[in-house]
Amino acid sequence: MNSLTTQVVSIVFATALLCARSVPAETQQLAAEVCVYGATPSGILAAMAVRQGGRAVVIIEPSRWVGGMLGAGLKPTQDCPNIHATGGMTRQLLTILGQPWIEQDGRTVRGSKSNRELNPADIRRDFLDLLQQHEIHVVYEHRVNRCEKDGAALRAAVFDFAPFDELGCPVAEPQRAAALRVTARVFIDASYEGDLMASAGVSYRTGREAAAEYDEPFAGVQPPMEAAPIDPFVERGNPASGLLAWVEHDHGQPVGAADGYTQAYNYRYYTTDAPEHRIELTPPPDYHAAEFELVGRYVEHLTNTILEPQQLHERLRRIFPGWMNSAEWNYHRDSLFTMAPVGISQRYAAGDDTAKARVWKQHQDYLRGLHHFMSTDPRVPKAFRQQTAAWGLDRRPHPETHGWPHQLYIRVARRLRGRYTITAHDVYNRTTIDDPIGLAQYGIDTYPARRIWFRQGDQMLVGLEGKMFVGGARGPTNVPYPVPYRAITPSADQCTNLLVPVCFSATHLGYASARMEPVFMICGQSAGIAACHALAEETTVQQIDLPALRSALEQAGQVLRWTEELARLAEVHGGSATYTFDELCRTCDRDGDRRVSKAEWEAGKPGWGWLFPRIDKNRDGFLDPPEYAAFQEYKRAHPDWQKLRATSEEDRNE
């Protein structure tokens, strides 16, 4: 480490110790060559790349924790359908984050726990170890206050000291405004919100574009789905009495029109009924059962129309606790109501600190209130009420915040209006990109934006609007597409030294595909490398030598184009580190016989019981390697394979 770097790192370390746990008497000053905002996985990889390039870097993190969503319930490989499309440090980290060190053949190596067995606390530990190994210091509990510019160059960012509350939520008012001022030559906004980008005066988007703006057929307002015949009014049949909570009037925009809404957020949370690990889920202080009256009417609808007890139980579980993804609960998209609110995320997307704190807390209070409602309302079957009441938060993943995750899943907030806009055409491989910094691959995955009431003939309905999953996890073409460098850089007339690897430039649909953590990590490392080039060339981030950047990215192991060789590897290995029979056995095979019974499948993959008979072709009650391989081949050939769920439920209802 050279003397300049040593000096800057020493300043960073001293300031971090001061700022993270005490309120400074006056604004602290800090200088670094690169300032990264957000200790998200993207921000951490950006900082690591800067350090590997021999430059001094500091991370400013609003919370007390690192790892973003990967430290808060989301698993590293969950949104990586094609491991061969990842490169650089991302490829190395996806399969080892959170894995234990074990002894094997006389060597200490990483284990191979399934996603269900990974603990977010262990993932956070690994990120902290990486930060320590690379001598990267993090200033915690500081959020953006304002930016200082000289023309189009960002010279300094000023941060408020604003510790999160005891349950892991941001607060409306800081303890000390303008507590820290950081000067740097390059800034990287790796936050989920793009607050630094916005404070720097850079243009951004929120909400949904119209279908016509970028010729995206599924853009903008969509027809309602998951509709149920429920009266939405406080007094049934009386519109003058007003609407119940958690439903709204349709704004009247036609299908395909732009609006300001965006897809739902939620916690990825853990529950348990084990007394030694359980933290009681209590209702919020201002709980009123009337807030969940519409949920009660939906429960009435389900109990009146579903006569088979197990099927009813499964539908009620979609409301609370939701959909179990990989041991943690997620939003259940096939339910009119589930464990997170709908219709408020747009208030967060470009909201101020007060709005963000309010929306974050609303998600927490909604989940607390819903749990209490489903545990006590007499319309809920007694057995389900008792089971729900027994669930509490699991303290083990998040012991410092009474079991609450440290990060709300902000699926999309601001999106840079940059020099290139990723659209659905990129997702469908219809574009040619000459400045790639990595590859993305996922379906166009949006959760509901609104819950509205409407009439259909003589019937009054409540439905969700805005959800879709075009192409499934592997995307509509099963072919990765490049993310351009231009998509993480603003216009030169707006800011010359800012890179945005998370809130990058994309339409609502383009972002819905590219917004996955592995892509953020790839873009973060590439942003860190680009920052080093801007420093070395003494130029703007827009004017760096692109051939030299490409060479550096390739040397770092980034995958910049999809080749026939990679396609063959993906075909042979299924493209994923998680959809092999070995991985299935690690998740489900309890007796070690290298077969998976129906009971083992349902225990290991809750909510996916409907799929078992579709895979078990010989009807012997077990899944074996050929059957599972044949199913993976079917998925590759049929990107819309999840429509099998609908036919399975129809068969069951006949």
Side-chain angles (χ1 to χ4, degrees), residues 77-82 427 440-445 469-479 481 513 516 576 578-579 635 638-642:
T77 59
Q78 273 181 351
D79 294 329
C80 181
N82 187 348
V427 181
Q441 182 180 0
Y442 209 78
I444 297 174
D445 183 14
F469 196 7
V470 181
R474 295 183 186 277
T477 67
N478 195 20
V479 176
Y481 58 93
S513 167
M516 306 304 159
S576 172
T578 60
Y579 298 138
K635 286 168 60 179
H638 300 82
D640 60 346
W641 64 272
Q642 290 203 44

Side-chain angles (χ1 to χ4, degrees), residues 208-212 214-223 255-257 424 428 430 444 446 465-471 476 507-510 512:
R208 302 184 285 187
E209 293 83 6
Y214 288 93
D215 189 24
E216 297 174 307
F218 296 113
V221 176
Q222 296 298 299
V255 170
Y428 278 86
R430 295 169 181 162
I444 297 174
T446 71
E465 187 270 299
K467 70 166 187 165
M468 68 186 77
F469 196 7
V470 181
T507 64
H508 191 254
L509 292 190

Side-chain angles (χ1 to χ4, degrees), residues 415-602:
R415 307 185 304 279
L416 170 68
R417 193 179 291 272
R419 298 186 299 147
Y420 183 95
T421 300
I422 298 169
T423 71
H425 298 288
D426 293 278
V427 181
Y428 278 86
N429 310 106
R430 295 169 181 162
T431 57
T432 300
I433 304 301
D434 58 8
D435 59 341
I437 57 171
L439 299 180
Q441 182 180 0
Y442 209 78
I444 297 174
D445 183 14
T446 71
Y447 285 69
R450 301 185 296 153
R451 185 182 292 110
I452 59 175
W453 76 276
F454 59 99
R455 295 185 185 275
Q456 196 171 74
D458 295 331
Q459 196 171 39
M460 188 180 303
L461 301 168
V462 173
L464 295 171
E465 187 270 299
K467 70 166 187 165
M468 68 186 77
F469 196 7
V470 181
R474 295 183 186 277
T477 67
N478 195 20
V479 176
Y481 58 93
V483 176
Y485 179 63
R486 287 165 292 161
I488 70 168
T489 50
S491 299
D493 62 336
Q494 295 187 347
C495 195
T496 57
N497 60 336
L498 174 67
L499 295 159
V500 187
V502 174
C503 295
F504 44 66
S505 182
T507 64
H508 191 254
L509 292 190
Y511 198 82
S513 167
R515 65 174 174 82
M516 306 304 159
E517 289 293 337
V519 178
F520 292 158
M521 294 167 71
I522 291 167
C523 291
Q525 180 179 3
S526 294
I529 293 171
C532 292
H533 277 251
L535 293 171
E537 297 172 25
E538 297 185 346
T539 189
T540 68
V541 296
Q542 292 85 4
Q543 293 179 322
I544 61 174
D545 185 332
L546 286 179
L549 174 63
R550 180 167 187 141
S551 177
L553 295 177
E554 290 174 341
Q555 289 177 13
Q558 295 285 45
V559 179
L560 304 182
R561 63 190 184 94
W562 189 243
T563 64
E564 291 184 4
E565 180 181 359
L566 289 172
R568 284 194 295 270
L569 282 172
E571 184 176 355
V572 171
H573 299 289
S576 172
T578 60
Y579 298 138
T580 65
F581 191 75
D582 286 342
E583 179 67 18
L584 179 68
C585 286
R586 279 194 290 269
T587 303
C588 301
D589 182 16
R590 305 303 182 189
D591 57 13
D593 65 353
R594 294 288 296 171
R595 297 190 306 169
V596 174
S597 69
K598 188 174 187 294
E600 288 174 326
W601 171 272
E602 291 178 345

